[in-house]
Amino acid sequence: MTPAKVELGRKLFYDQALSGNSTYSCASCHRQELAFTDGRARALGSTGEIHPRSAMSLANVAYSATLTWADPVLTRLEDQMLTPMFNQQPVELGLAGLEAALLERIASSPGYPAMFAAAFP
């Protein structure tokens, strides 16, 4: 872990451009002031779809053996993040089918190219 990776991760976590309709970020459902949950009994995705479960708390998740209660095989953040970004049932961030647009958003966003270069030289 490096300071550059932490800074990039923080920016990505709060960036609403990482949802299909640019209205949600990871922080929309994992709010720091609510122990990184959304405080709801059932989470709400970027399209308004109600989920079967609540948003899992991310407090101290680095110490967990798995990153989700829905799939115990997911033990790396790089793998787990694909579910909220691209899952279609239920829709969370709503990016399925928008992969090229997502890459364009990131590439054209001020700061991201330099931040990625610093985090992954």
Side-chain angles (χ1 to χ4, degrees), residues 60-118:
N60 296 319
V61 75
Y63 301 105
S64 298
T66 183
L67 297 173
T68 176
W69 52 43
D71 187 351
V73 176
L74 294 173
T75 58
R76 293 176 355 113
L77 182 58
E78 294 87 344
D79 299 325
Q80 189 280 330
M81 70 178 197
L82 299 174
T83 299
M85 292 176 74
F86 301 110
N87 199 27
Q88 293 183 11
Q89 193 63 308
V91 171
E92 295 179 50
L93 291 172
L95 288 163
L98 300 173
E99 292 83 353
L102 172 62
L103 289 174
E104 177 57 34
R105 286 180 196 174
I106 291 172
S108 64
S109 179
Y112 271 133
M115 291 177 81
F116 272 96

Side-chain angles (χ1 to χ4, degrees), residues 16-31:
Q16 291 182 339
L18 294 172
S19 68
N21 57 16
S22 296
T23 61
Y24 262 51
S25 69
C26 299
S28 297
C29 293
H30 301 284
R31 296 173 43 196

